[in-house]
């Protein structure tokens, strides 16, 4: 399933805005990125998509289920109503050969006013019924589309591992739990991991036991090989999907697991050293939990796929660069699309590194409620993106003005004034500054000519 386009009427600062999402004819990837200043409306677009898709999720989960309404405080000031129109490509009836397109409208009229636009959810219900038919009558292990929204408020504050006894067993529809309400709970990821690993250990050889057996039988290579094969065969496919996804994004990390001694905690190996997940930096924990949660939901919703990470769906991530080191920001989109190849990603970011390192990404710049598509960003350096896309100077404006003045003086061959300004800048800027190095060469060249 993919969302083709969305139209917002009187939603937030958008009076009438239509947005198309990749893939398009010009953009082969499944990634759309929004950039813009704080308050430009990036989050409003993501929340509107989540609000619209929540009704699809509600009706997939239960007959005539509902979703999140358009809140009154979202309606544009001075207007009486708001509406969100969505167009989605989804599975078709099993007898059809091509995917169909489904459109619906979600509307909200302020109290005390006559409705200008009414909600129209007929096609949404039809699409939800097809998914329910597909997994209920056609294939008990059929796949469901992932739909998830990860807001800015997604820090990992706790790593709970205690399984609540009153909780029902995890099932396929748990992939939708807290997926779109803006309250993503990474704690549920850790609880799920503990539950699956307990079952994995009961049915096979745990990693801890495997390590002990390898030490005891180290001299018998054939036995060690057999034990290793038994261990791999007993691994839980859903957990393997999560482990694989985390390792893909964080190559220095491996063997995510629950340890019972000396106390119950989640552990992971980093460059050969075992650490508690709670000891990781906020950036490491956030990335691990984000990637792990996407993988968990895909694993739950695609029980029959050999590789659950190949499941389809729509993932919305607000400020995708949050807490991430620039090295991780640079390769983030490529890793998302390689790890989850059939998912459509709609992202917002403030980082120039996120949008300049992957081909065919559809990038929009939001400014004062207006939307502009930007192309040709692949391969640009961060400074070019800052200037041309984000309308931000690459360096401190005062320093840049003084450097520009220095260059003008050198071009006008005003050597005395240029040398005085060069000395001032050399005192203020760190040694080896590239612009001062260039200026030093030009000064030397002018001195030689005058001599």
């Amino acid at each position: 399933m993919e969302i083709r386009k969305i139209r917002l009427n009187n939603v937030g600062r958008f009076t009438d805005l239509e947005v198309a999402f990749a893939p398009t004819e010009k953009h082969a990837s499944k990634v759309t990125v929004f950039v813009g200043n704080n308050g430009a409306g990036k989050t409003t677009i993501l929340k509107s998509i989540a609000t619209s898709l929540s009704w699809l999720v509600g009706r997939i989960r239960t007959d005539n289920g509902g979703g999140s309404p358009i809140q009154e405080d979202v309606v544009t000031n001075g207007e009486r109503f708001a509406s969100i129109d969505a167009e989605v490509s989804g599975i078709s009836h099993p007898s059809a050969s091509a995917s169909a397109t489904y459109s619906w409208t979600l509307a909200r009229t302020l109290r005390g006013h006559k409705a200008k636009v009414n909600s129209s959810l007929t096609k949404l219900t039809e699409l939800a019924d097809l998914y329910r038919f597909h997994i209920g009558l056609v294939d008990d292990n059929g796949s469901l589309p992932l739909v998830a929204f990860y807001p800015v408020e997604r820090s990992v504050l706790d790593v709970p591992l205690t399984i609540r006894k009153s909780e029902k067993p995890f099932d396929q529809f748990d992939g939708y739990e807290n997926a779109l309400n803006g309250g993503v709970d990474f704690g549920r990821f850790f609880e799920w991991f503990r539950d699956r690993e307990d079952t994995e250990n009961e049915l096979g050889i745990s990693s801890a036991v495997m390590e002990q057996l390898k030490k005891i039988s180290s001299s018998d290579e054939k036995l060690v090989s057999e034990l290793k094969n038994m261990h791999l065969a007993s691994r839980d496919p859903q957990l393997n999907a999560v482990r694989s996804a985390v390792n893909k994004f964080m190559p220095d990390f491996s063997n995510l697991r629950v340890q019972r001694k000396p106390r119950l905690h989640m552990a992971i190996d980093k460059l050969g050293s075992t650490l508690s997940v709670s000891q990781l930096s906020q950036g490491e924990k956030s990335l691990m939990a984000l990637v792990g949660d996407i993988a968990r939901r895909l694993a739950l919703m695609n029980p029959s796929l050999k590789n659950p990470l190949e499941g389809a769906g729509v993932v919305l991530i607000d400020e995708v660069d949050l807490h991430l080191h620039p090295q991780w920001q640079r390769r983030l989109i490529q890793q998302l699309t390689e790890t989850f190849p059939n998912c459509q990603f709609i992202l917002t970011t403030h980082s120039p590194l996120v949008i300049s390192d992957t081909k065919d990404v559809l990038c929009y710049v939001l400014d004062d409620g207006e939307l502009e598509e930007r192309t040709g960003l692949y391969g640009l350096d961060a400074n070019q993106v800052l200037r041309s896309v984000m309308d931000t100077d690459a360096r401190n404006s005062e320093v840049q003005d003084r450097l520009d003045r220095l260059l003008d003086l050198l071009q006008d061959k005003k050597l005395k004034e240029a040398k005085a300004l060069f000395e001032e800048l050399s005192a203020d800027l760190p040694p080896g500054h590239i612009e001062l190095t260039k200026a030093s060469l030009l000064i030397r060249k002018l001195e030689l000519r005058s001599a």
Side-chain angles (χ1 to χ4, degrees):
M1 185 188 80
E2 294 172 356
I3 182 164
R4 297 279 185 86
K5 63 183 179 181
I6 194 168
R7 184 174 182 179
L8 308 182
N9 288 104
N10 301 330
V11 176
R13 64 183 307 158
F14 302 114
T15 303
D16 186 5
L17 178 74
E18 184 172 301
V19 188
F21 300 98
T24 64
E25 291 184 1
K26 295 190 298 181
H27 302 89
S29 77
K30 295 184 178 183
V31 181
T32 303
V33 184
F34 293 91
V35 299
N37 292 330
N38 291 329
K42 303 184 299 298
T43 300
T44 298
I45 293 175
L46 262 61
K47 285 184 175 180
S48 298
I49 298 170
T51 298
S52 181
L53 292 180
S54 71
W55 287 81
L56 175 62
V57 169
R59 298 204 173 179
I60 290 176
R61 297 184 75 172
T62 59
D63 190 20
N64 292 322
S68 301
I70 299 175
Q71 300 296 325
E72 284 199 0
D73 59 3
V74 171
V75 180
T76 303
N77 291 337
E79 299 294 340
R80 300 176 180 179
F81 76 97
S83 65
I84 303 171
D85 299 305
E87 182 179 301
V88 166
S89 62
I91 63 167
S92 57
H93 191 277
S95 62
S97 58
S99 293
T101 299
Y102 302 84
S103 302
W104 63 83
T105 299
L106 186 66
R108 176 66 181 263
T109 301
L110 297 183
R111 285 174 292 182
H113 297 280
K114 186 177 180 180
K116 279 190 174 183
V117 178
N118 294 313
S119 295
S120 176
L121 305 176
T122 303
K123 288 295 183 180
L124 177 146
T125 303
E126 182 180 325
L127 177 59
D129 288 345
L130 286 175
Y131 275 115
R132 297 175 68 196
F133 174 85
H134 186 69
I135 66 169
L137 297 178
V138 177
D139 183 1
D140 287 337
N141 291 315
S143 295
L144 288 172
L146 168 63
V147 184
F149 172 42
Y150 296 93
V152 173
E153 303 83 7
R154 58 176 185 268
S155 296
V156 179
L157 302 176
D158 193 16
V159 184
L161 295 174
T162 303
I163 299 173
R164 290 167 281 187
K165 293 182 179 180
S166 60
E167 291 287 345
K168 64 179 179 60
F170 292 92
D171 63 23
Q172 191 174 9
F173 289 97
D174 280 327
Y176 290 131
E177 183 182 20
N178 292 329
L180 290 170
N181 59 9
V184 62
D185 180 11
F186 287 137
R188 193 65 169 152
F189 162 69
F190 296 113
E191 293 173 8
W192 170 85
F193 194 99
R194 159 79 190 281
D195 180 64
R196 298 295 304 187
E197 194 180 80
D198 283 350
T199 303
E200 180 183 65
N201 292 337
E202 288 175 5
L203 299 177
I205 304 174
S206 70
S207 298
V209 171
M210 182 63 195
E211 289 301 316
Q212 291 297 321
L213 291 174
K214 284 170 63 177
K215 291 178 181 179
I216 296 172
S217 310
S218 59
S219 59
D220 192 333
E221 294 183 5
K222 185 177 180 180
L223 178 59
V224 171
S225 178
E226 288 294 328
L227 289 171
K228 185 177 181 180
N229 290 336
M230 291 172 61
H231 171 65
L232 292 175
S234 68
R235 302 283 272 181
D236 182 89
Q238 292 189 7
L239 287 181
N240 277 344
V242 171
R243 293 165 179 145
S244 173
V246 171
N247 185 249
K248 181 84 173 179
F249 274 78
M250 307 167 71
D252 294 338
F253 294 78
S254 62
N255 196 19
L256 182 64
R257 63 199 183 276
V258 175
Q259 287 189 337
R260 278 77 180 168
K261 295 180 180 180
R263 57 179 176 77
L264 185 67
H265 66 285
M266 180 167 275
I268 194 168
D269 295 337
K270 179 181 181 181
L271 297 174
S273 299
T274 298
L275 299 173
S276 168
V277 167
S278 299
Q279 295 175 313
L280 303 181
S281 70
Q282 188 58 251
E284 291 169 333
K285 285 189 293 188
S286 295
L287 182 60
M288 186 197 73
L290 173 66
V291 173
D293 194 66
I294 295 173
R296 173 185 76 95
R297 293 179 187 274
L298 286 172
L300 283 168
M301 304 172 85
N302 297 275
S304 61
L305 286 185
K306 183 177 180 181
N307 181 6
L309 301 184
E310 294 180 355
V314 180
V315 179
L316 316 170
I317 309 176
D318 201 4
E319 295 192 22
V320 69
D321 53 294
L322 194 68
H323 300 306
L324 300 185
H325 187 277
Q327 286 184 341
W328 285 353
Q329 294 177 23
R330 185 178 291 280
R331 63 177 190 260
L332 184 60
I333 288 181
Q334 181 179 348
Q335 287 179 305
L336 283 172
T337 54
E338 288 179 353
T339 307
F340 311 110
N342 295 319
C343 282
Q344 179 187 31
F345 288 94
I346 302 174
L347 318 169
T348 74
T349 186
H350 290 290
S351 170
L353 299 176
V354 169
I355 59 177
S356 64
D357 225 53
T358 307
K359 286 183 178 180
D360 298 325
V361 170
L362 174 54
C363 179
Y364 289 113
V365 178
L366 274 169
D367 184 21
D368 196 25
E370 298 295 324
L371 194 68
E372 180 185 354
E373 181 182 335
R374 290 294 178 90
T375 58
L377 302 179
Y378 177 65
L380 295 183
D381 65 40
N383 290 339
Q384 289 175 304
V385 177
L386 283 172
R387 287 192 294 266
S388 64
V389 179
M390 298 182 170
D391 194 26
T392 302
D393 292 330
R395 62 165 58 92
N396 178 279
S397 58
E398 180 186 353
V399 172
Q400 187 63 55
D401 289 343
R402 295 167 71 192
L403 288 171
D404 292 341
R405 171 65 178 158
L406 176 60
L407 181 60
D408 290 341
L409 291 172
L410 290 170
Q411 288 178 338
D412 295 339
K413 297 182 175 57
K414 296 180 179 180
L415 186 58
K416 183 177 180 180
E417 294 177 58
K419 290 176 71 174
L421 181 54
F422 176 83
E423 293 300 324
E424 292 177 12
L425 284 166
S426 297
D428 292 342
L429 302 180
H433 192 286
I434 188 168
E435 298 299 331
L436 289 184
T437 302
K438 293 176 183 177
S440 177
L441 292 173
L442 290 173
I443 289 173
R444 180 60 178 159
K445 189 175 182 179
L446 288 175
E447 287 176 335
L448 290 172
R449 285 181 177 178
S450 63

